[in-house]
Amino acid sequence: QVQLVESGGGLVQAGGSLRLSCAASGRTFNNYAMGWFRQAPGKEREFVAGISWSGANTYYADSVKGRFTISRDNAKNTVYLQMNGLKPEDTAVYYCAARRIVVTQKPSEYNYWGQGTQVTVSS
């Protein structure tokens, strides 16, 4: 089992920044690829960013490329999502998720999920 706890969400004005953190415990963190997803009211959960187990490879949704950066610190069992240039359409609950080795963009392919953290961007 892997337990995931997100933090860092909040209310920010458009153009502002937030950094989300996801702390992992349980099985060996560096065996897992990590993903950030988000879900807005009335919408399906969508892929935002992913990072390979080593941190060597990162992946982004087109909607956040150039604004968001995913990173991880395996010594601290933590993955981060730095969000800059936030827009009202980024408003959602953000979740981190873990799966073995390979990043995918499908929520159904992740085995472990955090409880989510709310990000609200005002215009």
Side-chain angles (χ1 to χ4, degrees), residues 75-90:
K76 295 183 178 179
N77 286 2
T78 302
V79 63
Y80 304 97
L81 185 67
Q82 177 67 44
M83 305 186 294
N84 299 328
L86 283 161
K87 304 175 181 180
E89 51 263 44
D90 294 317

Side-chain angles (χ1 to χ4, degrees), residues 1 35 44 53 75 95 98 105 117 121:
Q1 289 285 341
E44 293 188 353
W53 66 271
Y95 299 89
Q105 297 191 14
T117 186
V121 184

Side-chain angles (χ1 to χ4, degrees), residues 36-110:
W36 283 99
F37 293 79
R38 66 187 181 188
Q39 188 166 18
K43 295 189 176 181
E44 293 188 353
R45 192 167 297 190
E46 66 174 0
F47 175 81
V48 174
I51 188 165
S52 62
W53 66 271
S54 67
N57 301 104
T58 57
Y59 309 85
Y60 297 94
D62 288 343
S63 59
V64 307
K65 278 181 183 175
R67 299 188 297 123
F68 291 11
T69 303
I70 189 171
S71 62
R72 67 190 295 162
D73 185 339
N74 285 346
K76 295 183 178 179
N77 286 2
T78 302
V79 63
Y80 304 97
L81 185 67
Q82 177 67 44
M83 305 186 294
N84 299 328
L86 283 161
K87 304 175 181 180
E89 51 263 44
D90 294 317
T91 295
V93 177
Y94 283 70
Y95 299 89
C96 69
R99 71 184 304 274
R100 289 297 303 270
I101 308 302
V102 179
V103 173
T104 71
Q105 297 191 14
K106 296 181 180 180
S108 61
E109 295 180 349
Y110 284 74

Side-chain angles (χ1 to χ4, degrees), residues 24-44:
S25 60
R27 293 179 180 261
T28 306
F29 178 66
N30 60 7
N31 286 344
Y32 289 84
M34 300 297 296
W36 283 99
F37 293 79
R38 66 187 181 188
Q39 188 166 18
K43 295 189 176 181
E44 293 188 353

